[in-house]
Amino acid sequence: MAEIRAIKWANNRLILLDQTKLPTQEIYTEIDHYSKAVTAIKEMRVRGAPALGITAAYGMVLAAMNWCPDQGDINDVLTQAALDLIGARPTAVNVAWAVKRMQALVHTTINPIEVSNQLLNEANRLFCKDIETNKLIGGHGSTLIENNSSVLTHCNTGALATAGYGTALGVIRRAWEQKKNIQVFHTETRPFLQGARLTAWELAKLNIPTTMIIDSAVGILLRTGKVDCVITGADRIAANGDTANKIGTYTLAAVAAENKIPFYIAAPTSTIDLTIPSGNAIPIEERPSEEITHLAGTELTPKETHVWNPSFDVTPHYHISAIITETGIIRPPYIEGLAQAVINSNE
Ligand code: MRU
């Protein structure tokens, strides 16, 4: 099977698999300006924290490549691009993480052509590193998945959400590659349906059977004893282990705790934000109300309906049994383990 690649770079263009069209159409869209990368991020043509980070890195490359002297200092142009990219989806810290790495290079050189080349090399490096990182996460995480067991996941954390392979879905994939007999459940993930559209599509491509449930069936499913562990990804992990992830993750973790089912987070160290002490400081993105009031373009609700559409929630650290990163498995208490993981990542 050809590997799924949500992000490519060719002929000085960023090429994104348009995830709003999946699973019915597999269309790649070409991006030749950083502002179009910002729009693609906002519209969720590309999504998932690590994939957003890589996209932002290539967005910085495009900002440098399109620079011309009448725009003034290239540093100012890149600073604006960085702000726009980080602001496009504020919860996923991987965007700021990647953009800062790109900006750090700019101070070392003043020649604009050299800037573009250096940024492109770095973006390519981050892309390749992300796939390696995910495979390491998969290797560590699969040790937590028993043979003859079942696992529930939420949202989409696979190749589509990363440069390749995936985080939480990468753990499931690795366990499957190790020929473990596992039963997979995934949520549909309202309202953008990353589970129904994307996770189901990826697992089908990998020939991994899965059973989909509606988000609100997690309570009954976890209570039946049919699930041995829950594993999800993360958009930002605070220094104490509080974790922001797709809306519904907190509910899932609380129900898992109530039913004494292990709840794991799988994420690269680039998702750890040691600058914030707890999840209270994580900005929660709110998405347009149309994502709830409409389904495939059809209006479902009366025009007067007021909507609140937070895209993420924060799971408190005490509901998380372990956090799996490329450096290994971190158990509570998290403060020391997360700080050490960032040091060990050498990034
Ligand atoms: O809104 P999305 O689709 O970008 O949300 C994605 C998630 O919440 C993922 O679980 C998270 O980004 C980790 S992806 C490896």
Side-chain angles (χ1 to χ4, degrees), residues 44 47-50 52 89 154-157 161-162 167 194 233-235 245-246 311-312:
M44 297 191 35
R47 32 68 47 205
L52 293 174
R89 295 212 58 203
H154 185 51
C155 196
N156 172 267
T157 58
T162 60
T167 59
Q194 291 92 329
D235 282 77
N245 190 52
K246 178 52 53 196
S311 194
F312 301 96

Side-chain angles (χ1 to χ4, degrees), residues 106-315:
V106 178
H107 302 297
T108 63
T109 173
I110 39 160
N111 176 333
I113 294 179
E114 217 179 302
V115 171
S116 304
N117 289 339
Q118 287 202 19
L119 292 184
L120 181 55
N121 286 341
E122 181 64 0
N124 288 336
R125 190 185 73 81
L126 293 180
F127 178 95
C128 296
K129 186 85 198 286
D130 189 56
I131 298 174
E132 272 172 40
T133 294
N134 292 333
K135 289 185 174 169
L136 288 169
I137 292 172
H140 297 306
S142 65
T143 64
L144 298 170
I145 312 270
E146 304 282 337
N147 193 21
N148 300 319
S149 70
S150 63
V151 51
L152 168 65
T153 191
H154 185 51
C155 196
N156 172 267
T157 58
L160 290 171
T162 60
Y165 202 80
T167 59
L169 211 59
V171 169
I172 291 171
R173 177 174 175 177
R174 187 72 200 114
W176 181 261
E177 287 165 354
Q178 290 167 337
K179 309 258 181 289
K180 288 187 182 170
N181 174 30
I182 52 170
Q183 191 184 359
V184 181
F185 291 92
H186 74 273
T187 61
E188 61 172 351
T189 319
R190 288 275 303 154
F192 212 73
L193 303 174
Q194 291 92 329
R197 296 187 301 108
L198 309 178
T199 299
W201 180 79
E202 272 198 46
L203 289 174
K205 289 229 169 214
L206 294 167
N207 290 319
I208 303 178
T210 181
T211 301
M212 185 169 82
I213 57 164
I214 59 169
D215 296 6
S216 38
V218 298
I220 186 169
L221 177 67
L222 295 188
R223 205 172 160 79
T224 57
K226 283 189 187 152
V227 170
D228 296 295
C229 72
V230 179
I231 182 160
T232 76
D235 282 77
R236 193 183 295 231
I237 302 172
N240 70 345
D242 291 353
T243 295
N245 190 52
K246 178 52 53 196
I247 190 77
T249 304
Y250 171 35
T251 318
L252 195 47
V255 176
E258 154 94 2
N259 289 280
K260 303 197 172 31
I261 294 167
F263 176 87
Y264 303 123
I265 293 287
T269 50
S270 51
T271 306
I272 300 171
D273 184 355
L274 296 178
T275 68
I276 52 169
S278 78
N280 293 338
I282 299 178
I284 299 294
E285 175 192 0
E286 292 180 22
R287 302 278 313 164
S289 53
E290 289 71 30
E291 287 178 5
I292 299 182
T293 57
H294 290 64
L295 192 63
T298 303
E299 193 163 13
L300 304 172
T301 56
K303 293 234 175 309
E304 301 75 15
T305 308
H306 288 275
V307 164
W308 179 49
N309 186 15
S311 194
F312 301 96
D313 57 25
V314 175
T315 299

Side-chain angles (χ1 to χ4, degrees), residues 63-64 66-80 106 110-112 115:
N66 287 316
W67 175 82
C68 64
D70 73 344
Q71 285 180 291
D73 188 338
I74 190 166
N75 280 299
D76 295 340
V77 170
L78 290 174
T79 303
Q80 188 57 52
V106 178
I110 39 160
N111 176 333
V115 171

